[in-house]
Amino acid sequence: MKAVSIEVVQHAALSPGLIEDLRCLFDAEYYADFGEWDPQQPYGYASHDVHLIARVGADVVGHVGWARRSISVGATDVDIAGVGGMLIAANSRGRKLGERLMHAADQSMTETGGIQFGYLGCREEVVPFYRACGWQRITAGERSVSRDGQAVEDPPGQPLLILPVSSCLASWPSGSIDLRGRTW
């Protein structure tokens, strides 16, 4: 495989060409189930402030994004980077590129400052991948807002993971989580 480069791009700096490259990456995986990818509402989830984009040569072969938000956990406000949009092109899988993207995301959160934890929800079958990247599973109920603005209450048990960024793991508060917006 050719050398992989990873670039960090602020959402506002996405060029039309890069948006089209990302659309091709996501549509190759999800178009049949979800339709065309929209960077403002990617498949109904919250958009990202920061995109980490993996390239082989000029080809976009991977993506993960994150957005800063203050959420509540129990009675405590926590500043997080909500992570989503993790995708590796089918022809680039099996080469640890996902781990490289996740570590680059961690580094970008650290460099940005003011972020206590990375936060994500995922499917059960990908929990081992995120755990291998240093993320820790937590158990809590989660409240969010759906794409149509309705409150969503998920009971404890769904896959939720956190990554200590500027806080230690032991400082994660107990209690139900209110994302104060859409999930990633």
Side-chain angles (χ1 to χ4, degrees):
M1 181 177 195
K2 295 180 184 176
V4 175
S5 64
I6 297 176
E7 63 184 307
V8 180
V9 181
Q10 298 295 315
H11 185 75
L14 290 174
S15 68
L18 187 49
I19 289 171
E20 186 57 32
D21 289 345
L22 289 171
R23 182 174 287 111
C24 289
L25 175 72
F26 279 92
D27 285 353
E29 185 76 15
Y30 298 118
Y31 186 84
D33 293 327
F34 300 105
E36 189 174 277
W37 179 79
D38 178 347
Q40 302 305 322
Q41 292 190 38
Y43 306 119
Y45 295 97
S47 61
H48 303 111
D49 297 332
V50 176
H51 301 265
L52 289 97
I53 299 165
R55 291 182 184 270
V56 173
D59 297 330
V60 172
V61 297
H63 172 272
V64 66
W66 62 266
R68 181 194 301 261
R69 187 183 299 166
S70 180
I71 65 171
S72 66
V73 183
T76 305
D77 287 345
V78 180
D79 294 322
I80 58 114
V83 173
M86 176 63 202
L87 180 61
I88 304 298
N91 64 355
S92 296
R93 293 179 186 153
R95 299 182 174 114
K96 305 275 185 195
L97 182 53
E99 285 184 27
R100 287 184 56 196
L101 271 172
M102 292 303 293
H103 290 299
D106 178 13
Q107 182 178 354
S108 74
M109 291 177 223
T110 301
E111 290 171 358
T112 296
I115 297 170
Q116 294 171 272
F117 293 92
Y119 181 93
L120 64 83
C122 63
R123 298 181 322 272
E124 193 67 51
E125 59 268 20
V126 294
V127 169
F129 163 75
Y130 290 114
R131 292 203 27 90
C133 294
W135 290 69
Q136 301 295 314
R137 188 167 184 165
I138 58 170
T139 302
E142 181 188 71
R143 182 184 183 126
S144 62
V145 176
S146 70
R147 187 176 188 175
D148 61 3
Q150 301 299 310
V152 176
E153 299 273 348
D154 288 319
Q158 74 277 15
L160 301 175
L161 293 99
I162 60 171
L163 178 74
V165 176
S166 68
S167 294
C168 65
L169 184 62
S171 69
W172 181 264
S174 62
S176 292
I177 298 166
D178 185 346
L179 293 182
R180 297 178 176 158
R182 293 183 8 217
T183 61
W184 295 271

